[in-house]
Amino acid sequence: MSDRACVIIADDHGLFRRGLRQLLEGAGFLIAAEASSGEGALECAAANPGCVMLLDIMMPDLTGLEVVRRLNERREDVKVIMLSAREDCDAVLSAISSGARGFMSKCTEPDELFAAIDLVARGGTALGACLATTLGNEVRELDRHAGLSEQRRHRITERELEVLRLLATAKSPAQIASDLYLSTKTVQNHIQALYRKLNVGSRSAAVVEGMELHLIQPGG
């Protein structure tokens, strides 16, 4: 007998459900139930506690997000992996915040989906590789915009920003000057200007403040 998770498939397309069922059963998963609607997904969850549910985000009658919210409200013992045909970062965030334990593209490779089900069954959270990359890029872009806003607010020049980021390394003012083709005196002036604008009194405090304002990325 397989020790892999039992699975509920909830999708309104019968052909997709049948194909997914064959794929999962071939990999040793037990298919406990299938649903073709949001209400059906709720009924399957209540009747089959302890399963992982593969839930289409675009279900008729109730959206996948609404199904997840209701499952959480009812405290049903089921872990949801949302499936979507689109790689949408807003949908990922909405799904996870609603209580889903994973989000995978319907274009996901079978082995990646199998690993995600196993991980979620053990209590983890799973995002498809492409979705994780896209979400990471979105977060970095938001972080960059936050940094630009703080740079303008504190009236920090591009040159001062270069100096601040180099202060986060182990380089001395003389080495920073060499890197930026400036004199050490000019670098010292930029450092003092940064201390004044950031309202700090030391190099370490300037670096910490720079990280908090998203002017410096942690680790580099």
Side-chain angles (χ1 to χ4, degrees):
M1 182 177 177
S2 173
D3 60 355
R4 304 196 90 163
C6 62
V7 178
I8 299 168
I9 301 173
D11 192 284
D12 61 323
H13 292 95
L15 188 61
F16 180 80
R17 288 199 311 276
R18 286 193 292 274
L20 188 54
R21 182 183 191 115
Q22 291 176 358
L23 195 67
L24 293 171
E25 286 180 335
F29 292 98
L30 170 66
I31 306 305
E34 294 183 21
S36 59
S37 67
E39 289 290 352
L42 293 173
E43 292 171 5
C44 287
N48 298 279
C51 288
V52 173
M53 178 182 287
L54 301 179
L55 174 64
D56 183 12
I57 196 170
M58 296 298 291
M59 295 288 278
D61 66 2
L62 294 174
T63 67
L65 293 176
E66 183 60 31
V67 170
V68 173
R69 292 189 190 102
R70 294 196 186 186
L71 289 172
N72 282 339
E73 289 170 0
R74 299 177 185 184
R75 300 184 182 277
E76 297 286 5
D77 180 19
V78 64
K79 300 178 178 72
V80 174
I81 297 177
M82 199 76 77
L83 300 179
S84 175
R86 297 187 301 117
E87 295 183 353
D88 184 335
C89 286
D90 289 339
V92 175
L93 294 173
S94 295
I96 299 301
S97 64
S98 296
R101 301 298 294 271
F103 197 108
M104 307 292 289
S105 166
K106 286 188 174 182
C107 298
T108 297
E109 290 296 321
D111 286 345
E112 187 179 353
L113 178 60
F114 302 157
I117 295 171
D118 287 335
L119 177 60
V120 168
R122 295 194 301 269
T125 300
L127 290 179
C130 290
L131 285 166
T133 299
T134 302
L135 187 60
N137 290 338
E138 289 282 339
V139 170
R140 283 189 289 274
E141 186 66 12
L142 288 172
D143 199 60
R144 187 181 73 83
H145 283 300
L148 287 172
S149 175
E150 291 296 344
Q151 181 184 352
R152 288 192 294 270
R153 187 167 73 87
H154 288 82
R155 301 181 184 277
I156 294 172
T157 67
E158 286 299 318
R159 180 63 83 186
E160 288 168 349
L161 186 59
E162 288 180 312
V163 171
L164 177 61
R165 288 171 175 165
L166 287 171
L167 287 176
T169 70
K171 294 183 177 182
S172 67
Q175 290 171 320
I176 293 173
S178 177
D179 283 356
L180 299 179
Y181 301 100
L182 300 172
S183 69
T184 302
K185 175 62 175 174
T186 299
V187 168
Q188 293 285 13
N189 288 340
H190 285 313
I191 291 172
Q192 291 304 313
L194 283 165
Y195 286 1
R196 184 176 67 256
K197 292 177 180 181
L198 296 175
N199 193 30
V200 298
S202 69
R203 176 173 180 157
S204 59
V207 170
V208 169
E209 186 70 8
M211 288 182 176
E212 290 182 351
L213 296 175
H214 305 281
L215 299 171
I216 302 171
Q217 297 300 317

